[in-house]
Amino acid sequence: GQGSDLVCLFDALHDMGDPVGAARHIRQSLAPEGTLLLVEPTAGDALEENLNPVGRAFYGLSTVICTPASLAQEVGLGLGGQAGERQLAIMLREAGFTGEVSLSHRVSGEYREYERTCTTVIDAFVHRRLGSYLGRVEDALGGTGVGGG
């Protein structure tokens, strides 16, 4: 479709064989002010950051579920579940995302996905709208001598 206000990806982008191509398609389907909500397993950028009970479980599951699923698809990047949202954010930029992307690791450091998802959903809707509103207020106050910050 075209002109979507919100596209949600829950624990999915890392499983795709061509995550950059999928993200490019998502970007093209969003409205100009549309939002991408991405929630992925919490994973550190370095192996040492993932050597904990949750990280071990995610590596095990990734080995038998995520990576084989990705490798079986066209392109077959094989990121696996421990790619981390930071790496996926880089891929989103490659796909042409230039605006705000709500990433759960920035919004909440929780390991529990339900809590991170709820918080990130709120961020995805409120962040852009609140920023736009505050920008209009700042513009309106600009010539009045009222300063902020």
Side-chain angles (χ1 to χ4, degrees):
Q2 296 286 323
S4 297
D5 291 324
L6 176 66
V7 173
C8 302
L9 289 175
F10 299 102
D11 197 9
L13 192 60
H14 70 271
D15 287 327
M16 297 180 185
D18 183 10
V20 174
R24 192 171 289 121
H25 179 76
I26 291 167
R27 182 185 47 77
Q28 293 167 349
S29 72
L30 283 170
E33 294 295 314
T35 300
L36 169 63
L37 168 64
L38 174 66
V39 179
E40 287 283 331
T42 300
D45 292 326
L47 173 65
E48 304 78 46
E49 297 174 68
N50 299 314
L51 297 180
N52 54 60
V54 173
R56 286 186 196 83
F58 284 174
Y59 272 124
L61 293 169
S62 178
T63 301
V64 297
I65 299 171
C66 306
T67 304
S70 176
L71 292 174
Q73 299 170 41
E74 230 176 276
V75 180
L77 191 57
L79 287 176
Q82 292 301 91
E85 287 185 339
R86 287 171 185 86
Q87 177 61 37
L88 295 175
I90 292 168
M91 297 178 90
L92 292 175
R93 297 294 177 217
E94 281 181 45
F97 280 91
T98 57
E100 189 64 33
V101 178
S102 290
L103 298 169
S104 65
H105 80 271
R106 288 188 187 146
V107 176
S108 173
E110 282 286 330
Y111 267 106
R112 295 179 292 221
E113 286 191 26
Y114 176 78
E115 289 83 354
R116 283 190 305 122
T117 299
C118 291
T119 306
T120 308
V121 166
I122 293 167
D123 177 72
F125 273 109
V126 172
H127 185 88
R128 182 181 306 245
R129 285 146 188 88
L130 185 59
S132 175
Y133 168 74
L134 291 175
R136 289 192 310 272
V137 169
E138 184 178 13
D139 290 345
L141 294 174
T144 65
V146 175

